[in-house]
Amino acid sequence: MRSLNVALLPRMAGAVCSATLVCAVSFAEPPASGTGQPPLLSQQSPNYQPPPPNYQQPPPPYPQYQPPPNYQPPPPNYQQPPPNYQQPPPNYQPPPPPYPQYQPPPNYQPPPPTAGGEPPLAAVWTAKELRFTYMGFTAKYSCDGLRERIRSVLLKLGARPDLQVSQGPCAAPLGTPTPFPAVTIKMNVLEPASSAHSVNGSAPPQVVPAHWQRVDLTGSNDAVKEAGDCEVIEQIKHSILPQFTTRNVDYKSTCVPNQLTLGGTQLRADVLVADEQAPKGVNASAAR
């Protein structure tokens, strides 16, 4: 033990002092660096706790994570599944891929187009008979002239070519205009097979293929002649056209007796006419 004044007290590890400020201290030399000795108790924190007997040092840092070789990053618009998402069952099979677009076989031939771009219709010939009397004042007709005019109109509307148009009793000679000439008409026109039926138990009529055709009864290049025929066109519209199967009738008339109105009369309609050759697949069974 050695005696030392108070000025040397900060270097002491422990001291016992008397009232004369002379302390007896015992020195403990600091350990040499690198010896692994723990520091003095006076240099440790107040709440220091020594490790337990079974304490083990933590493992070294884990290596940086590397994704597997076949890892694919999610797409940019990827969204996390909802909280209630459930994994598919173990036997889940994903749906098959979309079927490839249908391709027709190499030897496929599309059906030929029909008149007007519509499929063929099944129709039957139906007999019609009527008497037509022309009562007009603007245009004058002879008996034979009216007969030829009405015959051409009937053929244009689709009547069968074996029609009969006979002139009635005529007061004037042939080729001479006469008041109120008349003709008698016997013809066969087409009607849809679904609306045709046998009469008095006779055999059903033969089914023929047909199609719709647009017909213009005022489509000549002579505007003056059309204006003069406004009265006969008006009577054809009311007496003859209803005998045929028609649709989309377009009719207008500003006919004034003894006056010519250019472009004032118009008569157009879709009529059912027979095909020149029967396409395949059109028969009586298809019509029913």
Side-chain angles (χ1 to χ4, degrees), residues 101-157:
Q101 188 176 5
Y102 171 76
Q103 297 293 335
N107 56 353
Y108 171 76
Q109 295 292 334
T114 58
E118 297 182 3
L121 303 175
V124 294
W125 291 110
T126 305
K128 300 284 184 175
E129 184 174 354
L130 71 152
R131 183 172 178 83
F132 179 83
T133 301
Y134 172 64
M135 293 180 291
F137 303 94
T138 305
K140 301 296 184 179
Y141 281 91
S142 62
C143 295
D144 54 335
L146 179 65
R147 180 190 62 196
E148 295 304 321
R149 177 62 190 277
I150 296 301
R151 179 181 178 85
S152 65
V153 169
L154 297 177
L155 293 174
K156 199 170 184 179
L157 291 175

Side-chain angles (χ1 to χ4, degrees), residues 61-206:
Y62 291 101
Q64 187 177 5
Y65 171 77
Q66 296 293 334
N70 57 354
Y71 171 75
Q72 296 292 335
N77 55 354
Y78 172 75
Q79 296 182 0
Q80 293 287 341
N84 57 354
Y85 172 76
Q86 297 182 1
Q87 293 288 340
N91 56 354
Y92 171 76
Q93 295 292 334
Y99 292 102
Q101 188 176 5
Y102 171 76
Q103 297 293 335
N107 56 353
Y108 171 76
Q109 295 292 334
T114 58
E118 297 182 3
L121 303 175
V124 294
W125 291 110
T126 305
K128 300 284 184 175
E129 184 174 354
L130 71 152
R131 183 172 178 83
F132 179 83
T133 301
Y134 172 64
M135 293 180 291
F137 303 94
T138 305
K140 301 296 184 179
Y141 281 91
S142 62
C143 295
D144 54 335
L146 179 65
R147 180 190 62 196
E148 295 304 321
R149 177 62 190 277
I150 296 301
R151 179 181 178 85
S152 65
V153 169
L154 297 177
L155 293 174
K156 199 170 184 179
L157 291 175
R160 204 161 65 183
D162 60 352
L163 76 164
Q164 298 178 8
V165 182
S166 305
Q167 64 187 39
C170 190
L174 294 179
T176 304
T178 183
F180 311 127
V183 292
T184 301
I185 302 170
K186 294 182 179 180
M187 62 181 178
N188 288 275
V189 300
L190 284 176
E191 291 184 355
S194 58
S195 62
H197 56 277
S198 58
V199 180
N200 296 329
S202 60
Q206 181 182 3

Side-chain angles (χ1 to χ4, degrees), residues 258-276:
N258 299 320
Q259 294 185 13
L260 298 180
T261 305
L262 300 181
T265 303
Q266 177 178 292
L267 179 56
R268 301 187 184 99
D270 293 341
V271 295
L272 196 62
V273 298
D275 293 346
E276 294 181 359

